[in-house]
């Protein structure tokens, strides 16, 4: 117990120092955390617990998903629902296909691990971009597109990953189209149903109290219980927690006073608490990403292989954004070319991709290679894409140029 508490205090202390320093030098704190984590690992300093799929899925991912969903207002989401769903569903499928084909043709990967990697690396996590938006007080449609598309994209990527892995593990007994469709409906519908039930239960129970601490506790139970229950039942935990957050946000936190199921204190406390919880979760995950990236044995796979896979990941993201934007060109919610550039370059990879990679069974061909290259793509996207996003936004006119 003492060692665990010490690890937590060390992680939080480092995170706070990095956050303070990053703000002073106007650097996204997430990027600073990755860099510091890498430096600590190089110096052989123990930065805390091992980065495992269980740690990410059970402790890190639920608060990140819930906080992001809690902040999405349905009226804003509804206006851009067409591009958000188009990018997150069809874009994720396109990205997986492009990535898998590239791995097969360029690097001679077998189809099975290529599809698995294509599915997991399609999950985007623009935390560094959203943090930079907040630091610059940048709001509006583009911020909504980036965050909402990523949130639904995570759900689509997790579902695709589960389907592909199940198909591979079935071997000769792989399910047909009808059975696959039923499995897809079960995973998606089950996740949304559990999330809706958890969110509704928390809201209804909140009606019987005006105590904001009770309301806050109910939201915490709903966020984690929806994810864990869905995973236990082999449906989408991502979609469950996202649905819970959307329901509690739109029927509680952002509802007008007389229409809200939460007290005024409860709405304020919930918004502040989940922003804090997401900050803690991000602090832990980005420090551990940096520490793990620093000790990966990339030399076993060659710099050319890592560079090729990074280029393929960028190409796959481009395939998910630009062609589908053309299809939306005549719609009311059409996405402009500058917005497309931001969606493409801002499609960072993060916690979910790592969790899925680390959860792969040891028997999967190229399992170790997938884990290593996933860390490589995640590190590149956080550091290189994250650092170059502010100049890109200024070049495209979304942020004012510095004096």
């Amino acid at each position: 117990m003492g060692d665990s508490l010490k690890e937590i205090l060390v992680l939080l202390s480092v995170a706070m120092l990095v956050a303070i320093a990053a703000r002073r030098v106007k650097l996204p704190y997430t990027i600073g955390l990755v860099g510091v984590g890498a430096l600590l690992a190089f110096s052989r300093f123990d930065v805390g617990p091992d980065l495992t799929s269980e740690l990410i899925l059970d402790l890190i991912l639920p608060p990140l998903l819930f906080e992001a969903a809690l902040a999405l207002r349905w009226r804003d989401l509804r206006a851009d629902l067409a591009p958000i769903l188009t990018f997150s569903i069809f874009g994720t499928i396109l990205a997986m296909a492009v990535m898998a084909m590239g791995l097969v043709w360029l690097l001679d990967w077998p189809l099975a691990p290529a599809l698995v990697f294509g599915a997991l690396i399609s999950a985007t996590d623009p935390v560094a971009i959203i943090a930079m938006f907040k630091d610059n007080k940048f709001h509006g449609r583009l911020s909504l597109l980036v965050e909402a598309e990523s949130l639904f994209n995570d759900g689509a990527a997790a579902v695709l990953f589960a389907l592909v892995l199940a198909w591979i593990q079935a071997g000769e007994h792989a399910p047909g189209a009808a059975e696959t469709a039923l499995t897809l409906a079960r995973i998606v519908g089950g996740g949304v149903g559990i999330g809706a039930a958890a969110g509704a239960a928390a809201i209804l129970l909140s009606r019987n109290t005006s105590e904001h601490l009770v309301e806050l506790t109910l939201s915490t139970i709903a966020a984690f219980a929806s994810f864990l229950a869905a995973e236990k039942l082999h449906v989408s935990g991502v979609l469950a927690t996202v649905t819970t957050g959307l329901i509690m946000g739109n029927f509680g936190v952002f509802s007008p006073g007389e229409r809200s199921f939460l007290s005024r204190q409860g709405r304020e406390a919930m918004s502040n608490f989940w922003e804090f919880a997401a900050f803690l979760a991000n602090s832990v995950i980005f420090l551990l990403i940096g520490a793990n990236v620093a000790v990966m044995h990339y030399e076993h796979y060659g710099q050319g292989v890592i560079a090729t896979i990074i280029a393929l990941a960028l190409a796959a993201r481009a395939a998910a954004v630009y062609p589908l934007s053309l299809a939306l060109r005549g719609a009311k919610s059409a996405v402009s070319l500058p917005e497309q550039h931001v969606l493409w370059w801002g499609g960072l990879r993060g916690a979910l991709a790592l969790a899925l990679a680390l959860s792969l069974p040891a028997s999967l061909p190229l399992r170790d290679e997938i884990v290593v290259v996933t860390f490589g793509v995640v590190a590149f996207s956080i550091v290189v894409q994250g650092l170059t996003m502010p100049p890109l936004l200024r070049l495209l006119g979304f942020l004012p140029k510095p004096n």
Side-chain angles (χ1 to χ4, degrees), residues 181-213:
L182 286 174
T183 302
L184 175 62
R186 179 182 61 81
I187 293 174
V188 174
V192 172
I194 288 173
I203 287 290
L204 291 175
L205 288 171
S206 297
R207 295 182 66 181
N208 300 319
T209 180
S210 59
E211 175 57 58
H212 68 282
L213 294 178

Side-chain angles (χ1 to χ4, degrees), residues 28-373:
Y29 82 95
T30 51
I31 298 173
L33 286 168
V34 172
V36 170
L39 287 174
L40 291 175
F42 277 129
S43 64
R44 302 189 181 281
F45 181 84
D46 184 9
V47 295
D50 294 333
L51 187 59
T52 63
S53 61
E54 290 79 12
L55 174 68
I56 299 173
L57 292 174
D58 295 343
L59 293 178
I60 302 295
L61 211 53
L64 294 180
L65 294 170
F66 187 81
E67 190 271 338
L70 196 70
L72 288 180
R73 305 192 189 199
W74 175 247
R75 68 169 184 266
D76 298 330
L77 192 61
R78 183 171 52 193
D80 281 305
L81 200 57
I84 289 168
L85 291 181
T86 299
F87 292 139
S88 60
I89 298 174
F90 299 107
T92 304
I93 296 171
L94 272 174
M96 181 187 74
V98 170
M99 189 78 221
M101 288 188 296
L103 290 171
V104 171
W105 292 344
L106 298 178
L107 298 177
D108 294 323
W109 276 34
L111 180 60
L115 285 171
V116 167
F117 181 73
L120 70 87
I121 209 64
S122 299
T124 59
D125 180 21
V127 172
I129 307 303
I130 297 300
M132 185 268 297
F133 282 165
K134 290 179 180 178
D135 288 343
N136 288 275
K137 296 179 172 58
F138 181 81
H139 304 286
R141 187 194 186 215
L142 181 58
S143 179
L144 173 74
L145 283 175
V146 170
E147 188 157 14
E149 188 268 335
S150 170
L151 200 58
F152 287 97
N153 165 290
D154 279 0
V159 170
L160 270 180
F161 174 84
L163 287 174
V164 170
L165 195 58
W167 172 72
I168 291 169
Q169 291 177 328
E172 296 179 358
H173 305 288
E179 189 176 347
T180 300
L182 286 174
T183 302
L184 175 62
R186 179 182 61 81
I187 293 174
V188 174
V192 172
I194 288 173
I203 287 290
L204 291 175
L205 288 171
S206 297
R207 295 182 66 181
N208 300 319
T209 180
S210 59
E211 175 57 58
H212 68 282
L213 294 178
V214 174
E215 294 169 332
L216 197 57
T217 303
L218 286 170
S219 74
T220 305
I221 294 171
F224 283 93
S226 59
F227 189 93
L228 295 174
E231 291 293 311
K232 185 73 173 177
L233 295 173
H234 304 291
V235 296
S236 177
V238 173
L239 290 177
T241 301
V242 168
T243 304
T244 304
L246 285 172
I247 288 175
M248 296 202 71
N250 286 278
F251 290 97
V253 177
F254 292 122
S255 296
E258 66 277 5
R259 289 170 51 196
S260 177
F261 291 102
L262 301 176
S263 66
R264 180 184 60 80
Q265 275 187 305
R267 296 198 300 272
E268 293 175 358
M270 200 170 293
S271 181
N272 292 332
F273 170 78
W274 284 106
E275 185 177 2
F276 172 67
F279 172 75
L280 288 184
N282 278 321
S283 299
V284 172
I285 190 63
F286 282 98
L287 266 176
L288 294 180
I289 286 173
N292 281 265
V293 164
V295 297
M296 283 286 162
H297 297 291
Y298 300 103
E299 67 275 6
H300 293 171
Y301 307 101
Q303 294 180 353
V305 171
I306 303 293
T308 300
I309 291 176
I310 290 172
L312 282 172
L314 292 173
R317 180 62 182 169
V321 173
Y322 293 107
L324 294 177
S325 296
L326 284 176
L328 294 165
R329 186 170 48 184
K332 281 186 179 180
S333 53
V335 181
S336 69
L337 189 60
E339 289 172 333
Q340 294 172 44
H341 295 331
V342 174
L343 284 169
W344 167 59
W345 196 246
L348 278 61
R349 276 68 172 187
L352 181 59
L354 290 174
L356 297 177
L358 290 168
S359 71
L360 288 171
S363 59
L364 183 77
L366 301 182
R367 191 264 184 193
D368 292 342
E369 288 86 341
I370 288 175
V371 172
V372 171
V373 297

